[in-house]
Amino acid sequence: MRNVAIVGIGQTPVGELWEKSIRHLGHDAVVAAMHDAGIETADALYVGNMLSGELAGQEHLATLIADFVGLRGIEAAKVEAACASGAAALRVGVMAVASGQADVVIVAGVEKMTDTPIDETTAGLALAADQEYEVAEGATFVALNAMLMQRYMHEYGVSHRDFAPFPINAHANARNNPFAMFRSPITLDKYEKATVIAPPINILDSSPVCDGAAAVVLVPLERAREFGRHKRIVRVAASVTATDTIAIHDRRDPLFLEAAYLSSQRAYAQAGLGPEDIDLFELHDAFSIMSVLSLEACGFAPRGRGIELGQSGAITLGGKIPITTMGGLKARGHPVGATGIYQVVEAVQQLRGEAGANQLPHAHVAMTQNIGGSGATIITHILVGEE
Amino acid sequence: MHIARNWRVKHQRYSLTGEICHHCGAKVFPPRDVCPECTQPAYEPVRLSGLGEVYSFTTVYEAPTGFEAQAPYHLALIKLVEGPMLTAQLTDVDPNEVRIGMPVEMVTRKLSQEGDEGLIQYGYKFRPRIQAKAA
C-alpha cells in the first residue's frame, strides 16, 4: 500500500446559496482544489453527497460534476453514507490512491439543502434513521439527539447550560473564517434564551440547514512534491470507517458512541499515535451532545466528563484539545454530504499554517471525524503535516 | 402509497411481535432474525408484554410530514421489561408528568396520515401504566 498525501483544497462559502445549483457548487469547489494543487486533469472524481436525489432531483451527481469541470472521460462515482458521505468519499479516494488504482484523485463533498421547504429537508435528513422503527413513530433527527442529551443530563447530573461552551466556541472560531455561515459570536445569555426545538435541544445546539461544497486532491505521498507549491505536505496517516446500529434503541448503551470508539482506536493504531498526540480535532458537532459523546468515545475524556472540556476551555484555540477551529458544523455550517470534506480542508489549512487569525501555533497532527446518522457510521481521519 | 411497506410490519406494529433466541434466551425487538446478543439465528416469533419504562424523551414541535396534526407530541425511548428498547410516542399523558423511569404500557393508536386521502398508519404508542395501579 502507498502513503497518500493531500496536495489541493477548495471550498465554497457555506450558506443559503440560492444563486448556485448543486452542479455549480460542485464545480466551484473542484476547480478551487485543482487550482490549489496545480493540476489540469485527474484519474477519478468521487463525490460525497446525501440528498441530491431527494432535494435537488438529481442523481448521477459525480458524472455530472466531472463533465461540468471539464473532466469528461474520467472515472466518477457518488458515495453516500448519510451525513458521513463526505468522509466516506474521501475514504474511497484514499483506497484508490493507496492501492495504486489511481494516481491523482479529486474528492468532493456537495450538498444543496435550501431550495426545498424546511419540512421536506427535515424529512430528507430523517432518511438516515431507521424508517420502519424510528421515523414511522414520528422521530426526527433533532428528536433523536434530544433524547440522547436528555439522558446524558439525567445520568451525569449536568444541566443544559453546561453545554453552552460548545456552540459559543464554534461561533467564536467562525468569526475569522470567511467561508463560514455564522460569523457572529453568541453569549451564554443568548444560548439560554434560544428557541427550543425539541427539549432540551434549542436552536443554538443545532447545526444549520445550508448549502456548500468542498474538495481535496489526493496523490501518492512520494509524488506530492510535484503538485502545488505548499511548504508543508499533508499525509493521510489514518483513514477508518466503523459502524453501529442505525437505530439508537438497538444500542446496548446509547450514550456510548461505539463506532466513534472503534474508528478512533483503529485510526490511532494505523497512525501509531494516541489522543495525546492530536493537536486539533475537527469533530462532528451537528448537535452539542454529539461533541461531548465524541470526545468521550475517542479517549479525550472519561465517560460523563467530556462536558468538562467545554467548561475548562480545553476545546478553545488556546486549549489542550482545540475543536471546530474554523467554526465546526454549528457555525461554519453543516451541508451534510459536504461536511466531511470541509473538516479535512480546515484541518489542512491548520497543518499548512494557512488558518489565518485562527492558526494554532503547533498544528502537526489533526484528527477529523464525520458522523452519519445518530452515530451509525463514524469515519475518522488523522492527518500529519510534514516539512 | 407504501401499502406493502406497512403491511409487512403489521405484527410488529399491532401486537409488538418480536423474536426469541433459543441459544441465549434473549428476546429481540424489532425482529431481525439474528440475535443481537449472541449473533445466532433467532426466528421464533414472540409477543412482548408491552410493559416498560421511559429511558429518555423529548417533545417534537416541528413535526415531519404526516405527523403535523399531532404536534406537539412526546417521543420516547422505551425500555421494555423483556430487555429490548424501542422508539415510540407517549400518549394520554400529562406533559408535566413525563419523566425518565416512568412506567408505561403499550396501546394502539393512529401514527400518521398521508394527506386527506392517503393511507392511515396505526401502531404502538405508550401511556402511563394503568395496570399497575389496579393490581
Side-chain angles (χ1 to χ4, degrees), chain A residues 289-305:
Chain A
I289 180 66
M290 272 294 139
S291 302
V292 173
L293 296 182
S294 169
L295 284 164
E296 293 177 9
C298 295
F300 294 102
R303 296 282 307 271
R305 298 187 60 184

Side-chain angles (χ1 to χ4, degrees), chain A residues 119 132-140 143 146-147 150-151 154-155 196-199 248-250 252 254-255, chain B residues 9 12-13 30 32 36-37 55-61 64-65 67 73 75-77 85-87 89 100 111 124:
Chain A
D119 56 332
E132 290 185 352
Y133 294 101
E134 290 182 319
V135 177
E137 310 301 324
T140 60
M147 292 192 290
Q150 183 86 282
R151 183 72 195 189
H154 170 83
E155 210 145 296
V196 173
I197 316 172
I248 290 176
H249 57 232
D250 284 330
R252 210 159 292 180
L255 291 184
Chain B
V9 292
Q12 292 87 295
R13 293 252 173 91
R32 45 171 64 206
E37 300 297 324
Y55 173 86
S56 192
F57 65 95
T58 185
T59 310
V60 176
Y61 290 104
T65 312
F67 293 85
Y73 53 86
L75 190 76
L77 289 166
M85 200 186 289
L86 53 73
T87 303
Q89 285 184 36
I100 288 174
L111 289 182
Y124 48 78

Side-chain angles (χ1 to χ4, degrees), chain A residues 176-190:
Chain A
N176 296 315
N177 178 2
F179 297 96
M181 183 171 185
F182 297 129
R183 302 185 62 192
S184 50
I186 57 169
T187 58
L188 176 60
D189 185 53
K190 209 170 164 187

